[in-house]
Amino acid sequence: MAAINLLVTGAVFSTQAGFSALRFANAAIAAGHSITQVFFYQDGVTQGSALSVPLGDEFDASSAWGELADKQGIELVICVSAGERRGVLGDAQAHEFAKAAHNLHSSFRVEGLGVLHDACLQADRTVTFK
């Protein structure tokens, strides 16, 4: 079975990228494949905001990704520079830039593009969702 790395670049409410990537991840796992990492880049970092408040019938991205990560042990990583530009900050970034609080969901972590590069080298394939 294949080791698959996911790259999500689409924003949480203006694209289907996160929802499609999550469905793909669940289907791949059900088929016996493994998801090595999900990297959120560009507008995709908005998937990791703990402060998003979707309507009752909308996709709750950060919670859904967090549930998958907790059950399957999958790394959820947002790009540090893309997150900073879009106001999705971990505790360290909030402190560094003297912001009142961080808003990164607890299941996500912040890293640079080198982590994506390493994950792509280790996986059998990388699938991108825009």
Side-chain angles (χ1 to χ4, degrees), residues 23-123:
R23 288 184 49 120
F24 178 89
N26 283 319
I29 291 165
H33 303 290
S34 64
I35 303 298
T36 57
Q37 180 189 89
V38 183
F39 194 89
F40 300 87
Y41 184 56
Q42 297 170 337
D43 288 339
V45 299
T46 59
Q47 307 275 336
S49 175
L51 296 180
S52 295
V53 183
L55 297 175
D57 63 343
E58 290 181 331
F59 175 56
D60 185 352
S62 60
S63 294
W65 282 112
E67 184 178 321
L68 178 71
D70 292 345
K71 285 182 181 176
Q72 300 295 330
I74 297 170
E75 292 183 326
L76 304 177
V77 182
I78 71 158
C79 176
V80 62
S81 58
E84 289 170 357
R85 281 189 212 102
R86 291 162 179 86
V88 181
L89 305 174
D91 189 47
Q93 289 74 36
H95 180 70
E96 178 182 350
F97 296 108
K99 299 298 180 182
H102 66 90
N103 64 334
L104 186 66
H105 188 280
S106 61
S107 296
F108 292 72
R109 66 186 173 96
V110 178
E111 295 286 346
L113 283 173
V115 171
L116 171 63
H117 177 265
D118 291 345
C120 290
L121 291 175
Q122 293 174 10

